[in-house]
Amino acid sequence: LLHAEQEQHRLNRETIDIINIKCHDLKHQILSLKGNVDTDELDKISTAVDIYDRSFDTGNKALDVVLTEKSLLCRGKGIRLTCMLDGSVLQSWRPGDIYSFFGNALDNAVNSVSELPEEKRSVSITQARRGGLVSIRMENYYAGEIRFEDGLPVTSGDRRYHGFGMKSIRMVAESYGCDVRAETADDVFRLTLLVAQ
């Protein structure tokens, strides 16, 4: 499963690269049409191209691919994704592990907020440095009740087929000597990764 997930993310990276190249070319073509086509129509086309021409630059290529892919998913579902993260703190991580950790975490967050009212459809990723530790925190609203077992949220779906994402998140973090914590407060779910520097 991990190999299949890594292959999927490799394909996603290639797709995002192709989209970025095409968007770059389209922007130049749009500029060349100015004065020959209705300005309002060109503005609409420009806005549509901008949606796909947003990529992240965290200093970590694997993380940039995951964030770009998930930001497109969020945009399609009306979810605000904000990220203030220096990905260079994860340079020792293998790309497949970054895809697995952040892909699972963001998928969980997106699933959690997708049915909430518009004002609560947001996912944020922030980073803080305290002494020799870097804390990367992902936060999102949720509805209902979240139960925890062994420090991890328990899936609300069929346990034979769901709930492996959080276990994968923990396994990846621990393989790098990192600590991962999940908690809730005031209808906000927080997933915190602690990285020793």
Side-chain angles (χ1 to χ4, degrees):
L1 285 173
L2 185 58
H3 176 71
E5 187 175 71
Q6 290 172 347
E7 180 62 14
Q8 180 62 45
H9 286 291
R10 184 189 65 77
L11 293 171
N12 290 347
R13 184 184 68 239
E14 290 175 3
T15 301
I16 288 169
D17 287 345
I18 290 168
I19 289 171
N20 285 335
I21 290 167
K22 292 295 183 189
C23 286
H24 178 77
D25 292 346
L26 280 171
K27 282 184 172 185
H28 287 289
Q29 291 174 3
I30 290 169
L31 284 174
S32 72
L33 293 173
K34 291 239 184 220
N36 298 328
V37 180
D38 178 42
T39 307
D40 289 338
E41 196 60 35
L42 278 179
D43 289 342
K44 287 179 189 175
I45 294 169
S46 255
T47 301
V49 169
D50 284 343
I51 288 172
Y52 292 99
D53 194 27
R54 299 200 184 187
S55 48
F56 288 83
D57 186 12
T58 65
N60 184 304
K61 289 187 184 284
L63 184 58
D64 295 344
V65 170
V66 175
L67 292 172
T68 300
E69 174 192 351
K70 298 305 178 186
S71 73
L72 292 173
L73 174 67
C74 286
R75 185 174 287 276
K77 292 180 176 253
I79 299 168
R80 291 172 306 284
L81 173 62
T82 58
C83 180
M84 299 193 59
L85 181 58
D86 175 5
S88 66
V89 300
L90 302 171
Q91 287 302 355
S92 65
W93 287 35
R94 290 185 309 274
D97 291 335
I98 288 173
Y99 298 144
S100 182
F101 185 95
F102 286 94
N104 280 313
L106 283 165
D107 283 344
N108 289 344
V110 166
N111 287 339
S112 182
V113 301
S114 62
E115 300 300 321
L116 295 179
E118 186 177 331
E119 66 275 6
K120 291 192 172 189
R121 284 190 206 161
S122 65
V123 177
S124 71
I125 306 172
T126 56
Q127 178 177 317
R129 186 177 298 272
R130 292 185 189 104
L133 281 180
V134 173
S135 167
I136 298 172
R137 177 177 284 175
M138 185 177 306
E139 295 183 329
N140 60 271
Y141 288 101
Y142 70 94
E145 181 183 344
I146 296 179
R147 291 185 313 110
F148 287 85
E149 255 181 40
D150 192 26
L152 296 177
V154 177
T155 183
S156 57
D158 186 334
R159 293 180 95 173
R160 292 175 298 172
Y161 305 107
H162 299 285
F164 297 108
M166 285 303 299
K167 290 176 184 174
S168 174
I169 287 169
R170 176 181 274 171
M171 184 181 73
V172 168
E174 289 177 349
S175 74
Y176 291 96
C178 300
D179 186 29
V180 67
R181 299 175 185 169
E183 60 189 351
T184 59
D186 301 322
D187 296 329
V188 175
F189 177 82
R190 290 179 186 90
L191 181 69
T192 306
L193 173 67
L194 298 172
V195 182
Q197 291 290 288

